[in-house]
Amino acid sequence: MQRRKFLQQLAWLGGGLIAAVQLPAQTIFSRDGKISGRVKSGKKGLANVVVSDGYSVVATDTKGNYEIDLHPAARSVFVSTPAGYAFLHEDHVARHYQKVNGKRANSLDFDLRELKRSDDEHQFIIWADPQVKSDKDVQKMLEQSVPDVQKLVKAAGKDTLLHGITVGDIVWDESKHFDDYTRAVGKMGIPFFQCLGNHDMDYNKGGDETSDTTFQEHYGPTFYSFNRGQVHYVVMDNVRYLGKDREYDGFFQQHQLDWLKKDLSFVPEDKLIVLCVHIPVHNGVKNNADLYAVLGSRKVHIMSGHTHYHRNVIKGNIYEHNHGTVCGAWWTGPICGDGTPCGYGVYTVKGTNLEWYYQSTGESPDYQMALFIQEKDGTKELLANIWNADPAWKTSYWVDGVEKGSLQQFTGFDPLAYSTLLGPDLPKPRGFAEPKKTEHLFRALLPAGAKEVKVVATDRFGKEFVSTREVPT
């Protein structure tokens, strides 16, 4: 949601994937409602690069020049970084935009650096809801979550193009911790893009048009796009603040949908679209049909957070990944309300093909399920929580070395979440973090005398994950 005030004077930077060179901060002033400038790489002007103020969307000419009729509500101009070029960033926080204000004329230029290799293959991670509220939360983020990403980056290798996107609730109503999150991004060593969440808003600054002032001071526009390889990335703001008592809903404002339609008009139909939002679209956005209409028949993956549980939802050509959170159940323990471990999504792009897995904080990438043995009506029951499962996954289980077939999927409570989160006194100190029912549970009754069980879960890409457990006597 584009607001009327954008207060902080920000530097814009040119640079590569890991290092950026800081340039002088500038404030760009418009004359007669127009902004002009040039997108270049060194001295070379770049043609057909998309530039926008959040309302108008234009492409540069053959010499890299552009001009925008600046909208009265616009407060920044941003470049949709083209494929083959490094992201503009400052200490790895994306700086793909510049501020606009005032009445004087000035030229607004963007200087991009061409990558030395093809970016058709690359990776990205999705952080949902770091949601730090206290210094203790920040410490956990820095000591647990950040080192896990550092390990991932190191394992990927210096030749891997890797970036991150945080899909909202960077903080928990405490904007002073934006600086702590920014520090965390700097330590992870990859460019990060930011999305606005409901807890990132200013609740004391009026309605929806002014509630993201502080967010924009730190991270710029709340909706924008960029490209890498054959993927067009879009970040949007679907949190509509209703202006009183901290009330909000999931909604795409019409001017954002209009902008998206214009933005996509520059994107070939065969490109993969990765759309990042905070509130899940499939069940949390009132006008999700309007968004789906703009997206049309394109191949789309939606990345969302907000719920503090993990769920995959497929609707035709649109696959939505509603991520488990970095903070789990608000930094009260190692899991979310559905038993999904604290963690984040890891995505590998090859052309327009996308593969993914869920990375549990502090665990191996092969850790994709938790097994439990429960007593049920005098017999023992095997239960598996396979948090990233979708309809394409397959399961099988063995009892004492003998294959028994597939597990039965059902909806229920994760046993660990149920035992550690249920009730007003759990978990301490945040007793509101109740367990949530989930669809990614699987079960089977065990025969009497069973001693050991093994479960094999096979994801949609054919990768097998194996877990074993002794049956208690």
Side-chain angles (χ1 to χ4, degrees), residues 233-245:
Y233 293 86
V234 179
V235 175
M236 296 185 73
D237 172 4
N238 67 353
V239 183
R240 180 174 62 171
Y241 183 44
L242 302 178
K244 62 177 182 179
D245 301 325

Side-chain angles (χ1 to χ4, degrees), residues 12-16 20 23 79 81 85-90 92-98 109-113 191-193:
W12 72 278
L13 299 107
L23 299 178
V79 61
T81 306
Y85 288 85
F87 299 133
L88 300 172
H89 65 89
E90 177 184 13
H92 303 105
V93 174
R95 302 295 191 208
H96 50 280
Y97 58 92
Q98 295 189 48
D109 299 337
F110 294 92
D111 194 358
L112 306 178
R113 182 177 65 80
F192 252 83
F193 296 83

